[in-house]
Amino acid sequence: MKRLNLLLGILMAIAMTLSFSACSDDNDPTPGPDSQPELSDYHFDIFMTIGKHHGGMNQGEGTIVKSVNSLTADMGVIDIKKDGVEFIGENNTYSMENILKGKYYYQVPNSADRFTKFQVIGNSIRIAQEQIFEQNTYKVRGYTHAWLDDNTLIIMAANGDADKVIWTKLNADDMRILAEGTLDLPLPEGAKVFTASGILTYNEKSGKLYYFYFGKDKTGRGGKATSNFLTAVINPSDMKVESNKVNTLAGEMAGSAYGELMQSCVMYDADGNLYLAAFTDANDMEQGHLLRIKKGETDFDASYEGYPNADGKLLTIQNLGNGKALVYARNDAAGTAIDSYSHYYSIININTGTRERVSYNGQEIPYSGGRFAQRTAIVNGKAYIGVNTEKANPCIYIYDIATGKVEKGAEIAEGYQFDMIKVVENDDASYEGYPNADGKLLTIQNLGNGKALVYARNDAAGTAIDSYSHYYSIININTGTRERVSYNGQEIPYSGGRFAQRTAIVNGKAYIGVNTEKANPCIYIYDIATGKVEKGAEIAEGYQFDMIKVVENDK
């Protein structure tokens, strides 16, 4: 067995020792009051980018996800400073372009060797299941997908040489590969390669897969489409291609490179008719189109145009019901760069093609920057519409689908690029693992056998960022019962510091650090098997004790 020498790294912020004087904490980062929205069966994950921005495209580094229960105005300004999860796991980096269903995300991570199923919980990425590639291999962000049912996921993309289209069926419960293969689909006439992913969608009312794709004259960004995009109709039971036609109405479909991993390009109406966002290079712009395939048909309805007189590219579409849809589009005259502030939202009537810009207090909501973005989410009769504006904080507008009324919701703190909103199902609306809380729950770490170590705050004892009101408990995650960590019959003292992780779990022990008010900071050592606690090392006074990390030594 490999022997590990483990080093407990203790991270401290050096604090200056000051003589007594009346001084202000105005320069300290002080978050606003803690919001306590009502619990529901879902929450929102907000994806933001720090550092260099690419119009919404990002491969994980610099992607921060913040989970919130509400996007209404009473949330104030939503910030990710010291509160959010970077999309980097213990052994992998994850892309913001991903698949979401229910409470789980699915994707091919940057390692490009597996399918991963995970959750974002408590400011951490929690892996649920992984499946190493077998026959077919896929690249991060370079694939499309469709759900045949709640438990069967199909992944599809061009192969490594981009001269064939490959597919894999997965059992989404345990991520087993059910089947995989290659479509019997020839390269389009004159094409050397397929586009990277195309768009795959399943029409459950007709029981067919529709795959939208095109061929290019060469690989890479310089490759040009050799024809209008094609539509392949596929039988999902045996993956045989039943129809394959070049469309005559538009040049490319939206989302051709990344499928619907970020942006919603396909929707269905109540009758099972399929709608696809597309565009054509015409009239000195990328002219948007909304195309339709009637249920049971294999080609687009030549008599239909759901987005007439476009002023630029149509990027996303989402069904609002009753013949209405929410679209994100670009005014090409206002700018066509990847981050141009030229993108806007409209409500369209899919039957007549009429549309109206989304407005608030009689004013059209401002243009947004970012071609690759999905800042909209539809849930419980509301459309949550995010804008990434040029001259103000990004913010959310909330559109009531039934009445058409718009209210202003939460703002997003400046300094970030706001890229995406996801509606995520909560783990279990009937479950509460921390009942009768006396304040904010801050951290949780698994101890095994149904136990967890938590760090929480007693709000009655103080809510300031450095209040000595924080304490440790052992909880039973099945029953919700909990008990304060004690030593020699006394509860270990309150700690100061809301933003801290002074605990580490290793070799059957939980090392628990406290930053006390009237004594040196110190470590308590909890034996997970027996529940016994001993006192460990102390930390010299004069510093703020913030964090413990368990670090593997060199051999």
Side-chain angles (χ1 to χ4, degrees):
M1 181 178 178
K2 180 180 175 183
R3 183 175 180 269
L4 298 180
N5 291 316
L6 297 171
L7 168 70
L8 290 179
I10 300 176
L11 308 181
M12 293 173 282
I14 299 176
M16 293 177 62
T17 302
L18 302 177
S19 58
F20 178 81
S21 61
C23 60
S24 170
D25 290 329
D26 289 347
N27 293 324
D28 291 339
T30 306
D34 298 321
S35 179
Q36 299 291 335
E38 292 183 2
L39 294 176
S40 63
D41 56 359
Y42 66 88
H43 66 271
F44 300 95
D45 279 356
I46 301 174
F47 287 68
M48 293 180 247
T49 301
I50 56 175
K52 188 175 181 180
H53 195 247
H54 301 279
M57 296 185 294
N58 192 283
Q59 294 192 29
E61 294 187 36
T63 296
I64 306 293
V65 181
K66 166 94 170 182
S67 300
V68 295
N69 284 338
S70 172
L71 292 174
T72 52
D74 57 2
M75 292 293 290
V77 178
I78 296 172
D79 200 349
I80 58 174
K81 192 171 187 178
K82 297 186 179 180
D83 191 8
V85 57
E86 191 169 7
F87 241 37
I88 297 178
E90 185 176 344
N91 299 308
N92 232 318
T93 299
Y94 301 94
S95 167
M96 73 164 68
E97 294 90 352
N98 55 60
I99 301 162
L100 172 66
K101 192 167 187 67
K103 60 186 180 180
Y104 293 106
Y105 289 99
Y106 303 81
Q107 69 166 255
V108 174
N110 273 20
S111 60
D113 62 352
R114 70 193 65 192
F115 302 107
T116 300
K117 173 183 177 180
F118 64 93
Q119 291 178 278
V120 176
I121 295 179
N123 285 348
S124 66
I125 292 175
R126 186 177 298 175
I127 304 298
Q129 199 76 35
E130 293 190 315
Q131 171 64 56
I132 298 297
F133 294 160
E134 292 181 359
Q135 174 183 327
N136 290 335
T137 62
Y138 298 87
K139 297 177 182 177
V140 61
R141 306 163 68 226
Y143 53 94
T144 184
H145 76 284
W147 291 92
L148 292 182
D149 53 46
D150 286 343
N151 207 42
T152 308
L153 173 63
I154 299 183
I155 305 293
M156 190 177 287
N159 66 353
D161 293 329
D163 61 350
K164 293 181 174 63
V165 175
I166 56 176
W167 58 268
T168 300
K169 281 185 187 177
L170 294 163
N171 179 320
D173 182 40
D174 58 15
M175 298 303 286
R176 282 181 297 117
I177 294 176
L178 302 173
E180 52 186 340
T182 301
L183 285 184
D184 184 12
L185 203 62
L187 278 166
E189 186 176 352
K192 299 291 180 62
V193 293
F194 286 100
T195 186
S197 66
I199 300 287
L200 181 67
T201 182
Y202 178 61
N203 188 330
E204 63 180 32
K205 294 206 170 180
S206 67
K208 302 295 181 183
L209 286 162
Y210 287 78
Y211 180 52
F212 306 109
Y213 71 99
F214 56 87
K216 299 194 296 182
D217 57 5
K218 61 181 179 180
T219 58
R221 291 187 178 181
K224 301 293 184 185
T226 55
S227 69
N228 285 355
F229 72 87
L230 294 86
T231 304
V233 181
I234 303 164
N235 183 332
S237 62
D238 57 14
M239 296 302 288
K240 288 185 177 179
V241 177
E242 299 181 342
S243 173
N244 186 33
K245 299 176 183 177
V246 179
N247 96 90
T248 61
L249 304 178
E252 293 185 28
M253 60 285 184
S256 59
Y258 311 111
E260 289 190 286
L261 299 180
M262 173 180 266
Q263 294 179 297
S264 298
C265 310
V266 178
M267 61 162 266
Y268 292 90
D269 65 20
D271 296 324
N273 300 316
L274 181 159
Y275 297 82
L276 174 71
F279 66 94
T280 299
D281 286 319
N283 304 317
D284 297 321
M285 65 176 169
E286 292 181 311
Q287 187 172 22
H289 300 281
L290 181 60
L291 309 181
R292 178 177 69 186
I293 299 177
K294 291 183 177 180
K295 185 185 78 170
E297 298 294 328
T298 59
D299 203 357
F300 292 99
D301 179 357
S303 68
Y304 179 80
E305 172 57 83
Y307 197 74
N309 307 312
D311 57 359
K313 192 171 186 178
L314 180 61
L315 296 159
T316 73
I317 180 166
Q318 291 170 282
N319 188 21
L320 299 177
N322 295 320
K324 294 192 295 183
L326 172 65
V327 301
Y328 183 56
R330 185 181 69 204
N331 176 358
D332 281 19
T336 59
I338 198 168
D339 258 343
S340 289
Y341 290 95
S342 56
H343 304 84
Y344 62 92
Y345 297 96
S346 297
I347 307 297
I348 70 169
N349 183 315
I350 61 173
N351 298 311
T352 65
T354 56
R355 61 183 180 269
E356 185 177 359
R357 285 273 300 270
V358 177
S359 296
Y360 171 67
N361 280 350
Q363 300 270 337
E364 293 175 346
I365 64 176
Y367 280 134
S368 282
R371 185 191 317 165
F372 294 102
Q374 186 73 59
R375 304 184 195 101
T376 51
I378 317 297
V379 63
N380 283 356
K382 309 281 188 183
Y384 294 84
I385 301 170
V387 295
N388 202 28
T389 58
E390 188 172 13
K391 296 180 179 179
N393 280 6
C395 69
I396 311 293
Y397 292 90
I398 304 171
Y399 173 84
D400 187 288
I401 296 171
T403 66
K405 292 182 179 178
V406 177
E407 62 179 288
K408 193 171 182 182
E411 291 189 5
I412 309 295
E414 63 180 344
Y416 317 108
Q417 295 291 336
F418 168 32
D419 294 314
M420 196 160 57
I421 302 173
K422 294 280 193 179
V423 178
V424 185
E425 185 181 305
N426 286 340
D427 255 351
D428 186 348
S430 68
Y431 175 78
E432 175 55 75
Y434 196 74
N436 306 313
D438 56 358
K440 190 170 186 177
L441 180 61
L442 296 157
T443 73
I444 182 167
Q445 291 170 283
N446 186 23
L447 299 177
N449 294 320
K451 294 192 297 183
L453 172 65
V454 301
Y455 183 57
R457 186 180 68 203
N458 177 357
D459 281 18
T463 59
I465 196 167
D466 262 343
S467 289
Y468 290 95
S469 56
H470 304 84
Y471 62 92
Y472 297 95
S473 297
I474 306 299
I475 69 169
N476 183 312
I477 60 174
N478 298 310
T479 65
T481 55
R482 61 185 181 267
E483 185 176 358
R484 284 275 298 271
V485 177
S486 297
Y487 171 66
N488 280 350
Q490 299 276 330
E491 293 174 347
I492 64 175
Y494 279 133
S495 282
R498 186 190 315 168
F499 298 105
Q501 184 73 57
R502 305 185 194 100
T503 51
I505 317 296
V506 64
N507 288 351
K509 309 283 189 182
Y511 295 83
I512 302 170
V514 295
N515 203 28
T516 58
E517 188 173 15
K518 296 179 179 178
N520 283 3
C522 69
I523 311 292
Y524 292 90
I525 305 171
Y526 173 85
D527 186 289
I528 297 171
T530 66
K532 292 182 178 178
V533 178
E534 62 179 288
K535 192 169 183 182
E538 292 189 4
I539 310 296
E541 63 180 344
Y543 313 104
Q544 293 292 333
F545 168 31
D546 294 315
M547 195 158 57
I548 301 173
K549 292 285 189 181
V550 179
V551 184
E552 182 179 322
N553 288 339
D554 279 341
K555 292 181 180 178

